[in-house]
Amino acid sequence: MKHIQAISLDLDDTLWAIWPVIDRAEVVLHQHISKTFPLIGQNHDAQDLRRLRNDIHQSRPDLAHDLTELRRVSFERLLSQYGYDPQASHDLVGRFLELRHDVTLYPDVVPALSALSKRFAVVAVSNGNADVSRLGIGSYFHGQISASAAGVKKPDCRIFHMACELLKTDPAHVLHVGDHPLEDVIGAQQAGLRAAWINRNGDDWTHDETPHAEVHDLAQLVEVLACVDR
């Protein structure tokens, strides 16, 4: 963990719990759909919005890295199925993204980001479609790399290397921090980065490769990095 010069940071389930956000977004969006496109509302519940999105994910592997477009295409197909204008899918995905950014940060996040960003350049690296500039925390980040913009998703080495290029730092001196054992920890390590596992739920590590550090939240990460310096 010595010689860390920059940090890449996952977003969903690292800075906030994502599934309560998605659950709420789908319920609220379904209410809007039921009013605006009643035939859809009569034949599909909120859970169907996720099922349809998952169906697109299976049938369109070329869109696996772009969750926003996956959602839009699922809306487009649903609108077309019931005789509505498929162009309305753009409005629906815009509404979904607005709801998707209504997140509740874990309490350790802002103090930790403040501390980390004073010592390191920090970039966000996410498979999701959150934009840190829409969340009131953009000032802590040097930039962000999304899977949709990169054209690949974690654990593909290329997205990590793009982050290192943005940071202008050799991968060996970049610490990637995230919650997912494969996408974040092992993916980053295979790309030549150091990796810290955010294990907020106290899960067991079940892989042969081990993270360079395991912490239960970002506050503990700040402490670990301070101890390394000492």
Side-chain angles (χ1 to χ4, degrees), residues 153-215:
K153 63 179 183 175
K154 297 179 292 183
D156 192 298
C157 290
R158 287 172 288 178
I159 193 170
F160 293 106
H161 291 160
M162 289 178 189
C164 294
E165 290 173 7
L166 182 58
L167 289 163
K168 298 180 180 179
T169 305
D170 186 270
H173 299 302
V174 176
L175 176 68
H176 181 71
V177 182
D179 71 288
H180 199 286
L182 292 174
E183 293 177 356
D184 290 308
V185 177
I186 294 174
Q189 290 176 330
Q190 290 180 344
L193 290 73
R194 311 288 182 87
W197 184 34
I198 299 290
N199 183 14
R200 293 185 179 274
N201 301 319
D203 296 329
D204 293 329
W205 184 264
T206 59
H207 304 276
D208 292 334
E209 303 92 334
T210 57
H212 290 91
E214 177 183 340
V215 295

Side-chain angles (χ1 to χ4, degrees), residues 65-112:
H65 64 284
D66 193 338
L67 298 184
T68 300
E69 184 63 5
L70 280 173
R71 284 278 180 182
R72 192 201 66 77
V73 171
S74 71
F75 294 146
E76 181 180 71
R77 290 193 180 181
L78 196 58
L79 290 161
S80 297
Q81 180 181 346
Y82 289 94
Y84 296 112
D85 183 1
Q87 288 299 310
S89 62
H90 295 279
D91 174 71
L92 290 179
V93 81
R95 290 174 182 270
F96 178 84
L97 285 176
E98 188 69 27
L99 295 164
R100 183 258 187 277
H101 280 85
D102 184 16
V103 305
T104 300
L105 298 172
Y106 292 121
D108 56 279
V109 168
V110 170

Side-chain angles (χ1 to χ4, degrees), residues 1 8 13 48 64-66 105 108 123 152 161 178 191 193 220:
M1 289 289 288
S8 61
D13 286 329
D48 283 339
H65 64 284
D66 193 338
L105 298 172
D108 56 279
V123 298
V152 293
H161 291 160
L193 290 73
Q220 187 180 14

Side-chain angles (χ1 to χ4, degrees), residues 7 110 112-122 139-141:
I7 290 175
V110 170
L113 285 177
S114 178
L116 292 171
S117 63
K118 289 174 182 174
R119 298 181 53 206
F120 307 99
V122 181
S139 62
Y140 299 117
F141 289 85

